Amino acid sequence: GALLALSKPPGLPILGRPGDLSLDALLPALRRRLGLAAELHVVKAPAREYSGLVLLSSCYHTTKNLQQFFTNARQRGQYPATYRAITVGVPAEVEGEICTGLCWQQQGDRAMVRGCWWAVVTGDTPGSAEGCALQVVPVPAPGRRSLARKDVKITLTHYRVLSALEGCALLQLQPKTAFPEQLQVHLTLLLCPALGDHEHSSHVGRVLGVPFFLTPETAPTRTQVLEKELLTRLGLSPRQLHHLPLHIHLQELLLP
């Protein structure tokens, strides 16, 4: 019918500035190639850094109905979107939930930033166009005022270990809430950052092989550091590590 599904590579944003490569900029060419009469709309898509399913629709009402369905499903405690991730490290528990407050915070400053929800759609850091350095940070015990002002949002992700081998794991992730970089931050709280996460992996340190969490203030962002054995299995040199994409993939969408 009106629906079209395709698979997006990592690094492709949904929206972009005029002249930039983005999914939105490619829709007219895709419409012509498929010979569709109506315009295509993005119903659901993973963030810029993720790969995986993109759901498009050529019917405006279908788009709005499905977007409302995804919102209602999360509010009912369902998980309409299922992701897969490869992690560096294996969670201590085979299955569980990660629940924490998240907020935007200026790097080097504790000031929280409001009004940044457009980043959910674009996959960009809010204010990046102006050169502001912002990062998503966990807030384990947010106060009532910060929640009421929507400075902090309570987020929840259900995870399950599907496979584990030689210090890495394949995880199923089902977010019940939507917040930029939620899955990356939640995986670092599990002490198992996603492979290719050059934004948050520095928040997991190790002492004598035992992982522990480092606060964003004490752990500046840097290219992910991997053990020599893992680099060899990936066929990468340390100099090539910054090219390693984020291994989080939107695997499945539940439709009514």
Side-chain angles (χ1 to χ4, degrees):
L3 295 179
L4 172 67
L6 52 88
S7 186
K8 182 185 84 67
L12 179 68
I14 307 308
L15 301 176
R17 303 181 188 90
D20 288 350
L21 180 64
S22 66
L23 178 63
D24 186 65
L26 295 172
L27 291 183
L30 181 61
R31 172 190 171 190
R32 290 192 298 270
R33 182 172 178 177
L34 296 176
L36 300 176
E39 292 184 3
L40 288 169
H41 310 279
V42 178
V43 179
K44 183 79 172 176
R48 174 203 289 263
E49 297 85 1
Y50 300 177
S51 61
L53 276 172
V54 173
L55 186 62
L56 305 173
S57 168
S58 59
C59 172
Y60 176 80
H61 295 292
T62 299
T63 300
K64 292 301 178 184
N65 289 338
L66 283 175
Q67 288 174 342
Q68 189 61 50
F69 163 76
F70 288 129
T71 300
N72 294 342
R74 285 196 301 266
Q75 292 174 349
R76 292 193 298 267
Q78 299 173 347
Y79 301 95
T82 299
Y83 293 79
R84 296 283 173 90
I86 295 178
T87 62
V88 181
V90 181
E93 302 292 335
V94 175
E95 188 170 359
E97 290 185 339
I98 312 107
C99 182
T100 188
L102 291 180
C103 75
W104 286 104
Q105 183 173 289
Q106 213 166 0
Q107 288 185 354
D109 193 336
R110 293 181 178 275
M112 296 178 185
V113 182
R114 291 191 226 169
C116 302
W117 296 107
W118 66 273
V120 175
V121 179
T122 64
D124 290 333
T125 301
S128 58
E130 294 77 23
C132 296
L134 299 173
Q135 60 182 339
V136 178
V137 298
V139 184
R144 290 182 179 180
R145 290 184 179 181
S146 61
L147 291 173
R149 293 195 305 263
K150 298 185 178 180
D151 290 335
V152 179
K153 181 177 180 178
I154 298 297
T155 58
L156 175 68
T157 300
H158 181 271
Y159 77 90
R160 183 160 62 92
V161 178
L162 302 177
S163 179
L165 181 67
E166 298 183 22
C168 293
L170 174 66
L171 266 61
Q172 175 180 285
L173 303 172
Q174 294 178 303
K176 185 183 174 183
T177 52
F179 197 94
E181 303 175 26
Q182 171 178 324
L183 297 182
Q184 295 104 294
V185 176
H186 283 187
L187 288 174
T188 61
L189 291 174
L190 275 180
L191 305 179
C192 300
L195 183 65
D197 185 354
H198 308 299
E199 185 73 21
H200 300 279
S201 60
S202 59
H203 301 156
V204 178
R206 288 183 179 273
V207 173
L208 299 177
V210 179
F212 64 96
F213 185 76
L214 291 164
T215 62
E217 292 82 5
T218 59
T221 298
R222 57 176 167 77
T223 300
Q224 188 175 34
V225 177
L226 299 179
E227 298 289 339
K228 185 177 180 180
E229 293 78 6
L230 182 53
L231 280 174
T232 301
R233 296 207 302 274
L234 292 171
L236 295 174
S237 68
R239 291 184 178 182
Q240 296 173 313
L241 256 179
H242 67 281
H243 293 300
L244 186 67
L246 181 67
H247 281 57
I248 298 181
H249 182 81
L250 179 52
Q251 175 84 9
E252 180 180 274
L253 289 172
L254 174 68
L255 299 181

